[in-house]
């Protein structure tokens, strides 16, 4: 799910399904949800390649494990409107199969996997409103686990975007590491990933999605992030930014490789213009703000990749949201500072890494495995520090922030 308005459609489309194994990533700005929606007979689509090959939608695997077929779904809410999220979970009447602590009576120990700072901040609220406990997982570990899962399991998950051209990148699961994961949430974390469970947060910046949203709200009076992004799409940052050409009389500074259109100073024209904030179009202000933050993130990311000799840089987080101008700006920054030797790569399920990682952690307690389907191709990956294998492959119908068809193997 990409927009909050789509939640009602989600409820309707899943009225004939069983929902279980929910995981949350509760950040400073957004709450991200990943949950498994189980098929029942009324949901069968005889044209579906996978489901038409199976006699039942809930069966036993070869080693007598329960097998549940369905889809992983994704949704988000603003953290400041957490009651909307709680209402959504309550209205879905979630059947939390497998989410009981076997050491105590199930009625007393229903839990949901959760990560992010909000898992601590709002734990009492979830207990009060829903009667569930939040089983907390480490935020960085979940981000890395979610990224590894997507990059190894989902075909055409990663792509480049430059000059309006989107190209999918073929990832070899056996030649993935090391890489730099740049997660752009409210702030930015830059994580050097060396393998499953092997990672280090090497850098970051406080200038991230929360900065864009917060400053944008103050400067443009936009009510939400999506509105701010839409404004930036229609804006012209050259009205606000000071360019090299503005300093050099419209010419390049060729000696050091700066074109006349290179930004010399973000918001720099506001210094010399005899204008007040209300004299600028909010579209131009938001465009300049987006360009400033994206450029900064792209530059810092490449310098960290250079520092550790990393060839792959993956950008994720809900700041990006598949927004063409954001991706293009980050890509241009990486391309410029690397002199064309490095490329920025993005993920289709960019905003849900932490929630996916938390979902995968059910494996430690109540799930034996997860299979994401396309044809009958499978790739073994290690999904958690528990050391068990999860077998995954692509569902070709997966789209940006869209659901993924899969099978859950219970213990």
């Amino acid at each position: 799910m990409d927009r909050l308005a789509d939640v009602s459609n989600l409820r309707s489309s899943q009225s004939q399904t069983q929902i279980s194994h929910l995981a949350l990533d509760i950040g400073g700005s957004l709450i991200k949800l990943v949950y498994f929606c189980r098929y029942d007979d009324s949901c069968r689509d005889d044209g579906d390649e996978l489901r038409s090959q199976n006699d039942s939608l809930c069966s036993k695997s070869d080693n007598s494990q329960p097998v549940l077929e369905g889809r992983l779904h994704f949704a988000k809410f603003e953290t400041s409107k957490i009651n909307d999220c709680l209402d959504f979970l309550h209205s879905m009447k979630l059947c939390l199969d497998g989410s009981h602590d076997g050491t105590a009576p199930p009625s007393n120990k229903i839990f949901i996997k959760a990560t992010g700072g909000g898992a601590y901040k709002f734990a009492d609220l979830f207990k009060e409103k829903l009667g569930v406990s939040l089983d907390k997982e480490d935020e960085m570990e979940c981000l890395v686990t979610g990224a590894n899962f997507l990059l190894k399991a989902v075909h055409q998950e990663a792509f480049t975007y430059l000059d309006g051209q989107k190209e999918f990148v073929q990832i070899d699961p056996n030649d993935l590491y090391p890489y730099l994961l740049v997660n752009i949430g409210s702030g930015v974390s830059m994580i050097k990933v060396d393998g499953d469970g092997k990672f280090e947060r090497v850098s970051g910046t406080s200038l991230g999605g929360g900065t864009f949203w917060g400053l944008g709200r103050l400067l443009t009076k936009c009510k939400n992030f999506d509105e701010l992004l839409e404004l930036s799409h229609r804006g012209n940052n050259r009205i606000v930014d000071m360019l090299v050409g503005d300093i050099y009389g419209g010419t390049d500074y060729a000696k050091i490789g700066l074109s006349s259109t290179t930004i010399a100073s973000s918001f720099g024209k506001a210094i010399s213009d005899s204008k007040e904030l209300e004299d600028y179009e909010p579209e131009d202000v938001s465009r300049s703000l987006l360009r400033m933050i994206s450029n900064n993130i792209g530059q810092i990311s490449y310098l960290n990749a250079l520092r550790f000799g990393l060839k792959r840089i993956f950008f994720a987080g809900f700041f990006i949201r598949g927004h063409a101008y954001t991706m293009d700006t980050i890509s241009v920054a990486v391309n410029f500072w690397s002199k064309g030797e490095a490329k920025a790569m993005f993920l289709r399920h960019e905003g849900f890494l932490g929630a996916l990682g938390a979902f995968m952690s059910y494996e430690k307690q109540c799930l034996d495995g997860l299979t994401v389907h396309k044809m009958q191709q499978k790739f073994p990956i290690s999904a958690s520090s528990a050391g068990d294998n999860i077998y995954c492959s692509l569902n070709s119908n997966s789209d940006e922030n869209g659901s993924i068809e899969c099978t859950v193997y219970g213990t």
Side-chain angles (χ1 to χ4, degrees):
M1 301 296 299
D2 187 46
R3 295 183 179 273
L4 306 187
D6 292 330
V7 168
S8 60
N9 295 332
L10 182 64
R11 292 193 187 103
S12 175
S13 66
Q14 294 170 354
S15 60
Q16 300 297 322
T17 59
Q18 294 269 0
I19 296 174
S20 62
H21 300 110
L22 164 74
L24 298 163
D25 178 5
I26 310 175
S29 302
L30 292 172
I31 302 171
K32 287 78 68 177
L33 284 73
V34 173
Y35 56 93
F36 178 72
C37 185
R38 189 171 69 206
Y39 295 129
D40 63 18
D41 288 329
S42 65
C43 295
R44 180 184 292 272
D45 178 359
D46 292 335
D48 185 280
E49 182 173 359
L50 174 71
R51 280 175 274 159
S52 63
Q53 295 174 2
N54 293 276
D55 293 330
S56 69
L57 296 175
C58 185
S59 57
K60 294 283 185 178
S61 63
D62 293 339
N63 57 359
S64 298
Q65 296 169 313
V67 177
L68 305 175
E69 295 183 9
R71 301 186 78 89
L72 285 177
H73 289 269
F74 305 86
K76 68 176 175 64
F77 298 85
E78 293 181 22
T79 306
S80 61
K81 301 176 181 177
I82 192 171
N83 284 327
D84 291 344
C85 175
L86 295 170
D87 290 343
F88 170 72
L89 296 178
H90 184 267
S91 70
M92 296 295 285
K93 295 180 171 57
L94 297 174
C95 176
L96 299 173
D97 295 336
S99 300
H100 298 285
D101 186 339
T103 63
S107 59
N108 298 330
K109 289 290 183 180
I110 299 177
F111 66 90
I112 294 174
K113 289 289 186 179
T115 189
Y120 297 87
K121 183 177 181 179
F122 298 110
D124 291 342
L125 185 62
F126 274 81
K127 187 69 174 177
E128 176 188 347
K129 298 292 186 180
L130 297 179
V132 299
S133 299
L134 297 184
D135 189 12
K136 304 169 189 68
E137 296 290 331
D138 179 74
E139 183 175 356
M140 293 297 145
E141 185 172 352
C142 285
L143 285 172
V144 172
T145 298
N148 288 344
F149 169 78
L150 291 170
L151 290 169
K152 287 185 176 183
V154 182
H155 178 61
Q156 293 189 338
E157 175 67 29
F159 62 92
T160 60
Y161 192 96
L162 187 61
D163 296 329
Q165 298 298 314
K166 180 177 181 179
E167 294 185 8
F168 287 104
V169 178
Q170 183 64 42
I171 302 296
D172 181 355
N174 298 313
D175 187 31
L176 174 60
Y177 309 113
Y179 68 84
L180 185 70
L181 175 62
V182 181
N183 190 66
I184 314 171
S186 298
V188 183
S189 287
M190 299 175 189
I191 308 167
K192 179 176 176 282
V193 182
D194 292 305
D196 292 317
K198 299 177 181 178
F199 62 90
E200 178 186 3
R201 186 183 187 273
V202 295
S203 189
T205 172
S206 62
L207 304 182
T211 312
F212 176 65
W213 194 348
L215 277 177
R217 186 175 184 274
L218 291 174
L219 294 172
T220 69
K221 309 303 180 184
C222 281
K223 299 298 184 183
N224 58 58
F225 196 98
D226 290 317
E227 183 182 350
L228 193 58
L229 273 182
E230 180 60 30
L231 271 184
S232 70
H233 183 71
R234 304 194 301 267
N236 181 3
N237 68 290
R238 298 182 184 187
I239 303 298
V240 182
D241 294 339
M242 183 181 294
L243 309 182
V244 168
D246 296 322
I247 301 172
Y248 280 82
T251 64
D252 301 338
Y253 188 177
K255 187 175 181 179
I256 60 173
L258 298 178
S259 71
S260 62
T261 58
T262 300
I263 298 174
S265 176
S266 295
F267 287 86
K269 285 183 179 175
I271 298 173
S272 56
D273 282 352
S274 57
K275 294 181 179 180
E276 300 299 328
L277 177 59
E278 56 269 19
D279 296 320
Y280 290 96
E281 296 295 333
E283 292 85 351
D284 301 332
V285 171
S286 60
R287 181 83 159 202
S288 177
L289 183 60
L290 180 64
R291 191 79 182 254
M292 178 181 71
I293 293 172
S294 300
N295 266 327
N296 185 62
I297 292 171
Q299 179 181 0
I300 296 174
S301 298
Y302 170 68
L303 293 177
N304 274 281
L306 181 65
R307 173 187 171 198
F308 292 100
L310 304 176
K311 302 298 183 182
R312 298 184 180 94
I313 311 174
F314 295 101
F315 292 86
F318 257 120
F319 171 72
I320 301 171
R321 302 203 187 194
H323 190 252
Y325 189 71
T326 305
M327 294 187 294
D328 199 69
T329 302
I330 291 174
S331 295
V332 167
V334 170
N335 184 70
F336 176 83
W337 290 104
S338 71
K339 294 180 170 57
E341 293 183 4
K343 289 184 177 181
M345 289 180 280
F346 305 93
L347 303 176
R348 288 195 294 168
H349 294 85
E350 58 196 11
F352 295 97
L353 303 190
L356 271 170
F359 183 91
M360 305 295 277
S361 70
Y362 276 117
E363 179 194 13
K364 301 174 186 177
Q365 293 158 298
C366 57
L367 297 184
D368 182 67
L370 172 69
T371 300
V372 182
H373 297 281
K374 181 188 178 184
M375 309 290 287
Q376 293 180 332
Q377 184 182 17
K378 296 183 180 180
F379 299 103
I381 69 170
S382 177
S384 74
S385 57
D388 297 325
N389 283 335
I390 288 180
Y391 292 89
C392 305
S393 58
L394 164 76
N395 169 32
S396 58
N397 291 327
S398 169
D399 56 18
E400 278 81 1
N401 298 335
S403 61
I404 302 174
E405 189 167 58
C406 61
T407 295
V408 167
Y409 294 89
T411 54

